[in-house]
Amino acid sequence: MRPTIMEKVEGLRGINSVKIKEASEAGKKVVGMYCVFSPQEIALAADAIAVTLCGTKQEPIAEAEKHLPRNLCPLIKSSYGFAITDTCPYFYFSDVLLAETTCDGKKKMYELMGKIKPMHVMNLPQTAVDEDSLESWKKEMVKFKSFLEEKFDVEITEEKLIDAIKLMNRERDVMKRLHKLNAHKPAPLTGMDMMMAQWLKGFNVDKEAGIQLIEELIKETEELMDKGEFPFTEETPRILLTGVPIGAGSEKVLKLIEEAGGSVVVLENCSGYKGLDTMVDEAKNPIEALAEKYLSTPCSCMSNNNARLDLIKRLAEEYKVDGVVDLTWQACHTYNIESFTVRNFVKDELGLPFIQIETDYSDSDVGQIKVRIEAFLETIETKACCCGGTC
Amino acid sequence: MISIGIDVGSVASKGVAFNGTSIIAKEIVPTGWSPKLAGETLVKILMEKGKFTREEMSVIVGTGYGRVSLPFINHKVTEITCHGKGAHYFDSGIRTVIDIGGQDSKVIKLDEKGRVTDFIMNDKCAAGTGRFLQVMANVLELDISELSTVAQEGESCQINSMCTVFAESEVISLLAEGATKSQVSAGLLESVVNKTYSLISKMGVEDKVYFSGGVAQSPYIRNLLSRKLNKEIVYSIDGQYNGAIGAALIGWEQDR
Ligand code: SF4
Ligand code: SF4
């Protein structure tokens, strides 16, 4: 049984696009963001709304390719396409944009996008395992704060920052608790629903209402669990999905896994669990605490990115995973190269079946991917059988 | 009791009947426009050849790209798992299966029990598959099986395009420049081997290596690939039935 609240969750995007219009017209400032490295807290402390901008659909890509090379990650093309075609309401109502120097493709695309709207670019260090990185990232936090103070003519006090940190920690906490429900065998929520709920939080204009809704979803899901109603059985292969971020429009592979009879129990990617793992330390100086938290994000833009392997290991155990799928976008160098490391780690250290799927947002390769996923699940099923595969 | 395996490929459909100890009938028919019809025809022929009735048939397993269009089967299993199973049945020492069919190529790694431990497939285009050779054979006005006999080693001209569409025009201009059919044929077969080799290199090979699928019928390709890999290659004239055999075995085991 699907929780009925999911319908409300799915409605969030539509409702929020109206809310953002109203808020903007009432004089509220809006900061548009793209990435899990973006410190939403600073925007909230400036009394602004922080929203995630669209970049998960195929539609605007053709338009984007008039400016950008075709051989580029679809996430970058889609984000840019939404911006130039003015088809993302959140982009439209954003007063300023926040970007980071993550991968090369995004960094260079932002140079073009910055011509459309005022943009602040945070200079993200290339490694998290270095003292100097933290120092420079702290300075970047301060620079972003000053940027907003000047743009919006507000003062971002320490008190406001602390409040924003507490609010965002509460949002992380509720999303984390929701995600953890799927550690149960069988999982109470489909990977598709989990993805939706996690992705849609980025559009919440009213954070409190969003938190409340997820609390209700947790409650209803727990009731279904008590009644023993699950969308899967004990035997359903449990999959950890890692790699690039996904959202509505780029959920192709997740959908195919579940249609082929798997249950995606963990979304390790940054649109899922990655950003929820650590909280911002409320006891520390806010800028320092924010810098620490965001720098610790185990994204493939970082060199090295061993923290991702640690996270995969921890989640694989906690969620009793049977196999790992690494999704990488075509032309994404960082994730595609890192996939080799992840493959070896998952196969040798964790002893789990692994498959990498490299694709884009289009549907042209669905048939082929389907066969590969079905075959992958068959390798798990024969392993899982009581006879140990002799049958 | 009899178990049937049906492998509906893009070009040919294969069927076998297994009685628990041996393969008692096998047949191959062109898939044509209707995978369903091809499947039904196969079942009928198998019944005649193996002299068994519909009631004796306990299970039918479908595999291959057309498996989804067979309404009369009991199970569908992907060609990856079936090829692994079939190869293991043929020789339990096999650890790597290379299969090049009409529209895809795959490399499968097996453990000592015939379970698939890893696999890789070609990307979505026809480069390096039977389809590629078919189109090129048409350009040369040869039958696909003649490519191997016409080809002369050491005299090949290089075909640079991997893409079927571009390779076609490349072949036409090579012929126009005076290249012989035997040189072009050799170049085409080499290009298929190179493409296959790069797929294999992504995964590594372990002995023994089994080569199956329609393209494996060509001795020229087998020799070339064997030399390139520096490994001996096991081959069976029944290699085309490998997927169907695997399907029949899986059906038999599941039915027990
Ligand atoms: S993958 Fe990394 S760079 Fe891309 S959106 Fe996620 S956190 Fe940001
Ligand atoms: S998926 Fe890769 S290429 Fe695309 S934006 Fe993220 S890091 Fe950059």
Side-chain angles (χ1 to χ4, degrees):
Chain A
M1 261 280 290
R2 188 178 195 224
T4 51
I5 308 275
M6 268 315 295
E7 271 169 38
K8 268 203 201 168
V9 174
E10 278 175 345
L12 279 176
R13 198 161 176 269
I15 294 170
N16 277 316
S17 55
V18 178
K19 275 199 193 164
I20 197 140
K21 175 171 181 285
E22 290 167 358
S24 170
E25 282 164 5
K28 262 273 199 191
K29 297 292 180 202
V30 179
V31 184
M33 307 178 170
Y34 283 102
C35 171
V36 165
F37 280 107
S38 306
Q40 293 190 43
E41 288 87 345
I42 297 181
L44 297 178
D47 205 24
I49 297 167
V51 286
T52 313
L53 302 175
C54 303
T56 56
K57 291 204 164 68
Q58 171 75 22
E59 288 80 49
I61 286 184
E63 206 51 39
E65 284 175 349
K66 291 185 180 164
H67 298 178
L68 298 171
R70 294 194 62 205
N71 177 27
L72 184 66
C73 148
L75 174 55
I76 301 176
K77 286 191 286 193
S78 179
S79 305
Y80 184 72
F82 269 116
I84 56 169
T85 54
D86 228 345
T87 41
C88 166
Y90 304 92
F91 187 92
Y92 180 84
F93 289 111
S94 290
D95 295 284
V96 297
L97 306 174
L98 173 62
E100 298 80 15
T101 53
T102 49
C103 65
D104 285 355
K106 266 192 173 174
K107 192 160 76 186
K108 299 305 286 184
M109 178 275 282
Y110 286 144
E111 290 176 10
L112 305 181
M113 192 189 262
K115 293 181 183 147
I116 309 174
K117 244 184 219 284
M119 172 187 277
H120 179 79
V121 181
M122 290 177 81
N123 207 339
L124 181 72
Q126 306 211 340
T127 179
V129 286
D130 178 55
E131 271 301 307
D132 297 343
S133 295
L134 184 62
E135 283 314 308
S136 92
W137 190 229
K138 264 198 256 176
K139 286 184 193 147
E140 289 299 315
M141 292 283 161
V142 176
K143 280 189 219 162
F144 176 50
K145 177 173 157 277
S146 313
F147 170 81
L148 287 187
E149 285 180 324
E150 201 207 319
K151 273 275 169 214
F152 297 162
D153 193 21
V154 288
E155 195 199 340
I156 301 178
T157 62
E158 196 166 318
E159 216 185 329
K160 282 190 173 167
L161 270 178
I162 293 171
D163 285 346
I165 287 174
K166 285 188 177 149
L167 176 62
M168 285 305 296
N169 273 350
R170 280 178 44 228
E171 184 187 86
R172 274 184 205 106
D173 175 67
V174 77
M175 297 315 300
K176 194 169 173 171
R177 277 188 286 122
L178 179 73
H179 197 279
K180 289 212 165 169
L181 290 178
N182 271 358
H184 186 274
K185 194 170 180 175
L189 290 170
T190 63
M192 283 294 284
D193 280 347
M194 183 64 79
M195 180 278 292
M196 267 295 177
Q198 299 286 351
W199 177 70
L200 283 165
K201 72 170 182 293
F203 299 107
N204 276 334
V205 172
D206 182 350
K207 293 265 176 209
E208 288 291 354
I211 294 172
Q212 196 44 48
L213 189 62
I214 298 299
E215 289 287 6
E216 284 171 38
L217 179 60
I218 294 177
K219 198 159 154 271
E220 195 191 346
T221 309
E222 282 174 340
E223 283 165 11
L224 289 172
M225 289 170 80
D226 285 342
K227 282 194 239 159
E229 291 181 19
F230 296 95
F232 306 104
T233 68
E234 293 258 351
E235 282 74 44
T236 312
R238 298 166 65 82
I239 304 298
L240 180 149
L241 182 64
T242 180
V244 294
I246 50 172
S250 60
E251 74 282 59
K252 173 170 76 181
V253 169
L254 167 58
K255 199 162 159 232
L256 287 172
I257 297 172
E258 298 207 316
E259 281 173 359
S263 159
V264 175
V265 292
V266 202
L267 303 159
E268 188 273 335
N269 52 29
C270 67
S271 49
Y273 185 82
K274 202 185 293 262
L276 310 174
D277 194 47
T278 39
M279 299 285 153
V280 182
D281 191 339
E282 295 179 9
K284 279 194 179 155
N285 163 286
I287 291 292
E288 170 134 22
L290 285 172
E292 271 178 14
K293 147 76 191 167
Y294 285 100
L295 194 63
S296 75
T297 309
C299 168
S300 67
C301 296
M302 289 293 174
S303 176
N304 63 50
N305 189 25
N306 292 337
R308 178 176 172 209
L309 304 181
D310 296 339
L311 183 61
I312 291 175
K313 179 167 193 240
R314 195 147 43 81
L315 293 174
E317 284 163 8
E318 192 181 339
Y319 286 77
K320 304 172 271 297
V321 157
D322 300 313
V324 174
V325 177
D326 189 18
L327 172 64
T328 57
W329 296 138
Q330 270 159 22
C332 167
H333 294 337
T334 61
Y335 275 101
N336 280 320
I337 295 172
E338 201 165 284
S339 195
F340 183 71
T341 310
V342 177
R343 159 187 284 266
N344 290 340
F345 178 77
V346 169
K347 295 205 127 195
D348 302 343
E349 299 267 322
L350 306 184
L352 288 173
F354 173 93
I355 190 171
Q356 180 202 357
I357 296 195
E358 186 185 347
T359 183
D360 60 10
Y361 290 1
S362 76
D363 280 335
S364 58
D365 54 359
V366 162
Q368 241 253 1
I369 294 179
K370 211 170 153 209
V371 176
R372 292 183 59 202
I373 288 174
E374 283 174 6
F376 178 66
L377 292 177
E378 282 168 2
T379 65
I380 293 175
E381 276 159 5
T382 43
K383 277 224 176 84
C385 173
C386 57
C387 69
T390 49
C391 71
Chain B
M1 282 293 126
I2 310 275
S3 163
I4 306 281
I6 305 275
D7 176 6
V8 181
S10 60
V11 181
S13 295
K14 288 79 63 176
V16 302
F18 179 69
N19 68 0
T21 34
S22 55
I23 306 291
I24 56 164
K26 55 175 198 271
E27 186 58 45
I28 182 164
V29 299
T31 301
W33 57 273
S34 164
K36 180 167 167 260
L37 203 67
E40 278 164 357
T41 313
L42 278 173
V43 174
K44 245 184 262 155
I45 300 176
L46 288 174
M47 278 166 51
E48 280 165 27
K49 280 194 165 178
K51 301 189 178 47
F52 55 89
T53 62
R54 212 164 266 278
E55 287 66 46
E56 286 173 276
M57 233 160 52
S58 58
V59 59
I60 307 181
V61 174
T63 187
Y65 106 100
R67 69 184 181 286
V68 284
S69 359
L70 305 177
F72 53 86
I73 56 174
N74 305 94
H75 305 284
K76 338 187 251 278
V77 181
T78 62
E79 44 273 44
I80 305 285
T81 306
C82 289
H83 274 284
K85 199 83 192 172
H88 183 74
Y89 174 79
F90 175 69
D91 178 345
S92 61
I94 287 166
R95 294 291 173 271
T96 311
V97 182
I98 302 166
D99 180 89
I100 311 184
Q103 68 175 12
D104 65 10
S105 40
K106 40 195 172 281
V107 183
I108 306 166
K109 276 195 169 176
L110 299 177
D111 68 7
E112 65 291 346
K113 286 186 172 143
R115 289 178 301 202
V116 176
T117 56
D118 205 355
F119 67 92
I120 190 166
M121 288 171 84
N122 66 328
D123 39 37
K124 55 191 170 195
C125 80
T129 67
R131 179 84 195 128
F132 175 83
L133 289 178
Q134 182 66 60
V135 172
M136 299 310 145
N138 289 349
V139 179
L140 294 175
E141 293 171 332
L142 293 172
D143 184 75
I144 185 161
S145 60
E146 287 175 316
L147 285 177
S148 284
T149 41
V150 171
Q152 260 174 30
E153 241 186 283
E155 282 201 27
S156 68
C157 48
Q158 191 163 334
I159 313 285
N160 295 309
S161 314
M162 284 288 186
C163 167
T164 312
V165 179
F166 292 127
E168 191 174 353
S169 39
E170 197 177 337
V171 165
I172 292 168
S173 46
L174 280 171
L175 291 173
E177 281 162 24
T180 64
K181 281 188 184 181
S182 75
Q183 289 170 325
V184 175
S185 301
L188 289 167
L189 298 174
E190 251 165 54
S191 121
V192 168
V193 169
N194 288 340
K195 179 82 187 170
T196 311
Y197 181 74
S198 71
L199 190 70
I200 300 168
S201 311
K202 285 190 191 160
M203 244 186 28
V205 266
E206 258 176 79
D207 281 322
K208 299 175 180 175
V209 182
Y210 182 56
F211 191 13
S212 65
V215 173
Q217 307 270 316
S218 154
Y220 193 94
I221 289 195
R222 287 202 305 275
N223 289 337
L224 218 56
L225 189 61
S226 165
R227 249 181 292 146
K228 219 167 161 137
L229 290 171
N230 203 10
K231 284 205 185 305
E232 211 183 302
I233 287 178
V234 186
Y235 158 78
S236 148
I237 37 162
D238 281 345
Q240 270 185 293
Y241 293 98
N242 191 41
I245 294 172
L249 292 171
I250 290 170
W252 178 264
E253 285 163 357
Q254 283 189 349
D255 202 41
R256 253 190 327 177

